[in-house]
Amino acid sequence: MATKTWKIEKDLCRCCHGEGAFNNLAEPRTFLDKVEVYSDMLRECLDIDIPPVPGELCAITYTICNACIARLRDACNFKKQVQDCEQRFMTLYYKNAIQGLKPATKVKEEIEVSIEHAQSDTDADIVLKKEDEDDDDDNHFLGGDDDDGMSDDDLPIKPPKQSVSTMKTRPKPKPKPKAPPVVKKLKPPPKPKKAEPKPAKEKKGKRAIPSTSTFNDADTQIYICDVCKRVFRKRKCFQQHFKAVHMGKRPQSKRCRICKIQVSKYKRAYHMEESHGIPAPSCGACGKKFAFPGEVLEHQKFVHMGESEYRCEPCDLKFSSRRNYNRHLIKHTDVRKHKCQLCPRTFKYRGTFRNHMLIHNNIRPHVCNVCQASFTLSGTLKGHLIAKHPMYAAELYA
């Protein structure tokens, strides 16, 4: 089957595949003194997310035509109308401000029932005689004796019918109470014996992780490491910290499916490109490489398309993640919640407070390869190399 190529001469509408000079989906535009972003309208109103494609087709294929814009506005207006009407209805309903027509009640007419008096014994005898005469007439029509030789004496005698009036006057005999059925009592099933808990055996080579669980001022549970006194909100985060920092157990690397070399997941894409020639995920606009394909779309939306959910109002800066946005908001506050217990200094950021505690604990992880001098911060080591060993620093930071 021959493949067909689609040649796009102008912009392409991603909603109807029309071609022409259209508007960008992520570019904000003003309509009737209201700012519209068509990609956000599609996501909020119709729950449809249209991502941009990487490469040269990114700009010309991420547009929408005027006809689709009009239909999208109508859909958004209709959704807002339904939401407003529903909110108003529920508000009036809970306030008991909605009343309906009550149905007219119909009065049922009472029926008079007349009770007949009991007939005398003579009347009852007359009725029985008439019934006997009627039975004789019936036998006459039946034809007398049958061919089988059975006479009228052989037939079963029917009891005389009683009139309605006599049936009402004579009380019916009360039925004899039946004896209750004998129910055999089933023996209850034997209760299962509770298994006694076996004492937990301590595995060899494992030790308990030292931590202190307390509650802070907001009545939330926190975990404090007994070694370095770091505070964690979740026990899982504390366990990862203790195993990685104090026990030296880093996350295990996985084998490459081609050469069976242990490579961590963040370096797997670069290893596949350098060793096996498989290109890593990269941006078609700027050529930047990433470890995962999902990072490429996030990069294109934030850097090239200008889309961002996190924007700082005081300084009008955009951020790609909520973590960076919350970290930036600390600059606009004067709250210094990280206080050193050994000196009166306070800090806004937790990372700065950690580096400060390294000074009190005399921890110097950064060592100069020339004179073996040790420093607390990497910036201090860099300044030392530039001042004391400029030739080595020039080769190192070239």
Side-chain angles (χ1 to χ4, degrees):
M1 182 177 178
T3 58
K4 297 181 180 180
T5 56
W6 189 2
K7 295 182 180 180
I8 301 175
E9 298 179 357
K10 295 183 179 181
D11 297 338
L12 175 69
C13 177
R14 291 289 289 274
C15 298
C16 66
H17 287 183
E19 296 186 20
F22 301 145
N23 300 327
N24 192 290
L25 281 167
E27 183 179 354
R29 292 184 176 273
T30 305
F31 178 75
L32 297 178
D33 298 333
K34 184 179 179 181
V35 180
E36 296 178 339
V37 180
Y38 305 121
S39 60
D40 296 343
M41 294 170 64
L42 286 169
R43 190 181 303 108
E44 295 173 1
C45 181
L46 305 177
D47 196 15
I48 298 175
D49 190 9
I50 299 180
V53 296
E56 298 177 356
L57 299 176
C58 181
I60 64 174
T61 61
Y62 200 63
T63 56
I64 184 173
C65 65
N66 293 329
C68 295
I69 291 173
R71 298 177 68 182
L72 179 60
R73 286 174 184 158
D74 293 341
C76 294
N77 293 333
F78 178 72
K79 181 180 179 180
K80 185 178 180 183
Q81 171 190 330
V82 174
Q83 291 176 345
D84 294 342
C85 293
E86 183 65 14
Q87 183 179 3
R88 185 184 174 206
F89 171 79
M90 297 307 295
T91 303
L92 295 175
Y93 174 77
Y94 286 116
K95 289 183 179 179
N96 295 329
I98 302 177
Q99 297 180 357
L101 295 176
K102 296 182 179 179
T105 57
K106 296 182 179 179
V107 180
K108 295 183 179 180
E109 297 180 355
E110 296 182 357
I111 302 174
E112 295 182 358
V113 180
S114 61
I115 302 174
E116 297 181 357
H117 296 285
Q119 295 180 350
S120 60
D121 296 338
T122 58
D123 296 337
D125 296 337
I126 294 169
V127 172
L128 291 173
K129 288 180 180 180
K130 288 182 178 180
E131 289 180 356
D132 293 338
E133 293 176 358
D134 293 340
D135 294 339
D136 296 338
D137 296 339
D138 293 340
N139 296 331
H140 175 72
F141 286 111
L142 289 173
D145 295 331
D146 295 335
D147 296 336
D148 297 336
M150 294 180 64
S151 63
D152 294 339
D153 297 337
D154 297 333
L155 295 175
I157 299 173
K158 296 181 180 180
K161 297 181 179 179
Q162 295 180 354
S163 63
V164 178
S165 59
T166 57
M167 290 176 65
K168 290 183 179 178
T169 55
R170 295 178 183 177
K172 294 182 179 179
K174 295 182 180 180
K176 295 181 180 180
K178 296 181 180 180
V182 180
V183 180
K184 295 182 179 180
K185 295 184 179 180
L186 300 176
K187 295 182 180 180
K191 296 182 179 180
K193 296 181 180 180
K194 295 183 179 179
E196 297 180 356
K198 297 181 180 180
K201 297 182 179 180
E202 296 183 357
K203 296 183 178 180
K204 296 181 179 180
K206 286 191 175 183
R207 56 178 179 175
I209 299 177
S211 65
T212 304
S213 176
T214 58
F215 290 88
N216 57 6
D217 298 337
D219 292 337
T220 56
Q221 192 172 11
I222 58 176
Y223 300 91
I224 304 174
C225 179
D226 292 346
V227 181
C228 60
K229 304 302 180 183
R230 281 190 60 185
V231 180
F232 300 89
R233 294 182 181 179
K234 296 182 180 179
R235 182 173 181 81
K236 185 177 181 180
C237 298
F238 161 71
Q239 291 176 349
Q240 292 178 355
H241 154 77
F242 189 86
K243 290 179 181 179
V245 177
H246 302 296
M247 298 180 66
K249 294 183 178 181
R250 298 294 177 181
Q252 295 181 358
S253 301
K254 293 185 178 180
R255 289 185 179 182
C256 174
R257 63 176 182 270
I258 299 176
C259 60
K260 306 302 180 182
I261 296 178
Q262 297 285 346
V263 183
S264 62
K265 59 181 180 180
Y266 294 101
K267 297 181 181 180
R268 192 176 304 153
Y270 305 103
H271 166 77
M272 298 297 290
E273 184 176 11
E274 294 176 358
S275 302
H276 308 292
I278 300 175
S282 60
C283 176
C286 61
K288 187 176 180 180
K289 298 180 181 180
F290 299 89
F292 304 100
E295 296 178 352
V296 180
L297 294 178
E298 294 180 0
H299 161 77
Q300 290 177 348
K301 286 183 179 181
F302 178 69
V303 177
H304 300 294
M305 307 304 298
E307 295 184 12
S308 177
E309 299 180 2
Y310 309 102
R311 177 179 295 180
C312 179
E313 296 181 358
C315 56
D316 198 20
L317 289 178
K318 297 180 181 179
F319 300 90
S320 59
S321 63
R322 187 180 186 87
R323 180 181 180 183
N324 296 335
Y325 171 69
N326 293 335
R327 181 179 177 84
H328 168 77
L329 289 179
I330 301 176
K331 294 182 180 180
H332 300 289
T333 60
D334 295 332
V335 180
R336 295 175 174 266
K337 60 180 180 179
H338 302 284
K339 185 178 180 181
C340 181
Q341 298 179 357
L342 302 177
C343 66
R345 293 193 61 183
T346 56
F347 304 91
K348 287 185 178 181
Y349 301 100
R350 185 171 58 182
T352 312
F353 172 66
R354 290 181 195 167
N355 295 334
H356 171 75
M357 292 304 296
L358 295 177
I359 299 174
H360 289 296
N361 296 328
N362 196 21
I363 299 175
R364 300 172 180 271
H366 304 281
V367 182
C368 177
N369 294 330
V370 180
C371 62
Q372 302 301 319
S374 58
F375 302 93
T376 304
L377 304 177
S378 60
T380 310
L381 174 61
K382 184 177 180 180
H384 165 78
L385 292 174
I386 295 173
K388 300 295 182 179
H389 315 288
M391 299 297 295
Y392 182 76
E395 296 179 358
L396 186 63
Y397 299 106

